């Protein structure tokens, strides 16, 4: 039976540490603050926003939601995003994407200052992540994967790490973070040949493919660590969520595995707060 790498234990330990850090910063007269930019009211965005607010409250951070109607025009929204970026009380910005189709998302993303870009919305942040410049923030989900590996003392150096998925939000940045820690990294995608065999060769397998229960028993091996990033509606149980890994099939084989729900997703909002606190420290010369 595999060790279950629960996200809650990771999130709780991080929250304890961040609470102390926020107290230290507040003692210097500064309150770290997250600015959340939301257009419209998509249920997924509202759900994530609720989690982010709860985490901010739990660790004593401030937050403010900047909410705009779904039909906001490009010019007004550009002004609004620029104003949030210029607001010296806001240290980190989360902007929900995708934006409605009528907005030029590429242009709007570029208006977020890189030093406040705590979820890697800008090309400037992505460049820093790829260049190992530690002043650039990776997207929260890849950082959450790394925080889980660190919390459970899973060695990365020299290990074969296979990342299933090559999106800019998860696959590519998590591959860079594993490489930064001297993992030997392979990135797989929809054109990869012999995919199950490539995945089964990994010491650490990160599944970020967006396909419910795609990773079956033939993708894994004994001794492996499996991090499941996927959040998909369960085709067999509408209304319930499952990962990219078929947990029931893989759990008896591998050494360690994250559950869905209760794995990576439980850590991402804490990472959002952690990166906002780091941004606050950098902006105030405290880092
Ligand atoms: P995405 O942009 O759709 O990318 C999926 C990747 O998987 C692509 O690189 C695609 O390859 C690859 N892929 C798709 N089907 C494949 C197949 N049959 N075989 C091999 N590779 C295949 O998805 P994403 O945004 O990275 O998200 C991935 C998953 O993570 C989703 O379930 C999403 O809901 C979840 N997620 C979770 C969190 C969290 O906090 N836990 C945050 C973000 C995302 P190609 O490039 O070749 O098309």
């Amino acid at each position: 039976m595999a060790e279950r790498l629960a996200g809650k234990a990771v999130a709780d330990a991080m929250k304890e540490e961040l609470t102390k850090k926020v107290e230290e910063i507040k003692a210097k007269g500064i309150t770290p603050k997250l600015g959340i930019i939301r257009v419209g009211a998509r249920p997924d965005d509202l759900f994530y926003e609720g989690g982010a607010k709860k985490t901010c409250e739990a660790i004593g951070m401030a937050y403010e939601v900047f909410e705009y109607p779904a039909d906001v025009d490009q010019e007004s929204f550009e002004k609004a995003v620029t104003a949030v970026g210029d607001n010296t009380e806001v240290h980190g910005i989360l902007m929900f994407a995708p934006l409605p189709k009528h907005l030029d998302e590429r242009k709007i993303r570029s208006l977020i200052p890189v030093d406040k870009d705590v979820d890697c919305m800008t090309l400037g942040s992505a460049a820093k992540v790829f260049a190992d410049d530690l002043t650039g923030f990776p997207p929260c989900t890849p950082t959450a994967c790394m925080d889980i590996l660190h919390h459970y003392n899973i060695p990365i150096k020299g290990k074969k790490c296979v990342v299933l998925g090559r999106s800019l939000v998860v696959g590519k940045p998590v591959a860079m973070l594993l490489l930064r820690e001297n993992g030997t990294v392979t990135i797989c995608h929809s054109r990869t040949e012999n995919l199950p065999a490539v995945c089964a060769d990994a010491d650490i397998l990160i599944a970020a493919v967006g396909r419910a229960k795609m990773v079956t028993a033939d993708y894994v091996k004994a001794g492996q660590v499996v991090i499941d990033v996927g959040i998909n509606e369960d085709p067999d149980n509408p209304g319930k969520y499952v990962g990219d890994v078929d947990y029931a099939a893989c759990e008896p084989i591998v050494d360690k595995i994250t559950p869905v729900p209760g794995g990576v997703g439980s850590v991402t909002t804490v990472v959002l707060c952690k990166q906002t606190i780091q941004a606050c420290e950098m902006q105030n010369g405290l880092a």
Side-chain angles (χ1 to χ4, degrees):
M1 203 174 141
E3 181 187 354
R4 192 171 176 273
L5 304 177
K8 187 177 182 304
V10 185
D12 286 349
M14 286 172 69
K15 279 194 237 172
E16 204 181 313
E17 205 175 297
L18 294 176
T19 303
K20 286 188 204 135
K21 178 69 82 184
V22 170
E23 273 170 19
E24 283 168 27
I25 298 173
K26 280 183 167 173
K28 296 184 168 107
I30 303 158
T31 302
K33 183 170 177 177
L34 172 70
I36 301 173
I37 299 176
R38 173 166 48 77
V39 177
R42 275 194 309 249
D44 285 0
D45 295 350
L46 291 172
F47 181 77
Y48 192 77
E49 182 180 299
K53 287 177 176 172
K54 230 169 100 180
T55 308
C56 286
E57 282 161 9
I59 64 174
M61 260 179 66
Y63 62 80
E64 185 171 347
V65 180
F66 300 90
E67 185 181 352
Y68 307 95
D71 61 355
V72 65
D73 65 87
Q74 178 77 19
E75 197 187 335
S76 328
F77 191 50
E78 280 183 22
K79 277 193 190 137
V81 173
T82 304
V84 179
D86 289 343
N87 183 336
T88 51
E89 283 184 6
V90 171
H91 305 103
I93 295 175
L94 167 73
M95 183 175 78
F96 286 110
L99 294 170
K101 290 270 177 287
H102 69 278
L103 294 171
D104 179 348
E105 180 166 328
R106 200 182 163 89
K107 175 139 191 240
I108 287 162
R109 280 175 179 246
S110 73
L111 301 174
I112 298 174
V114 171
D115 64 339
K116 296 187 180 184
D117 184 16
V118 290
D119 199 22
C120 204
M121 299 296 289
T122 64
L123 291 178
S125 295
K128 287 188 178 208
V129 172
F130 278 66
D132 287 336
D133 177 335
L134 301 184
T135 64
F137 297 104
C140 295
T141 303
T143 307
C145 295
M146 300 306 289
D147 284 337
I148 291 171
L149 294 172
H150 295 153
H151 178 89
Y152 289 102
N153 294 315
I154 294 162
I156 298 167
K157 187 169 92 180
K159 300 296 179 192
K160 284 187 207 166
C161 306
V162 172
V163 178
L164 181 46
R166 58 173 162 180
S167 73
L168 251 187
V169 182
V170 191
K172 283 178 186 159
V174 83
M176 290 304 116
L177 299 182
L178 290 162
L179 190 60
R180 192 182 281 179
E181 296 194 24
N182 300 307
T184 302
V185 183
T186 302
I187 305 176
C188 300
H189 45 78
S190 62
R191 318 290 159 84
T192 299
E193 291 182 359
N194 305 320
L195 186 62
V198 176
C199 292
D201 194 36
D203 298 310
I204 298 173
L205 174 63
I206 312 258
V209 80
R211 291 184 179 258
K213 299 191 257 189
M214 188 188 114
V215 174
T216 44
D218 51 337
Y219 283 68
V220 296
K221 68 170 180 188
Q224 205 171 43
V225 176
V226 178
I227 306 289
D228 188 355
V229 178
I231 304 176
N232 314 289
E233 188 162 15
D234 186 349
D236 307 320
N237 259 317
K240 299 262 183 217
Y241 284 86
V242 290
D244 292 342
V245 177
D246 184 340
Y247 190 89
C250 296
E251 185 272 342
I253 301 169
V254 302
D255 191 33
K256 300 172 199 292
I257 184 166
T258 58
V260 177
V264 177
S266 324
V267 183
T268 45
T269 57
V270 190
V271 169
L272 181 67
C273 292
K274 177 177 80 164
Q275 298 196 151
T276 299
I277 293 165
Q278 288 169 346
C280 173
E281 289 180 303
M282 287 196 289
Q283 286 157 36
N284 289 284
L286 305 174

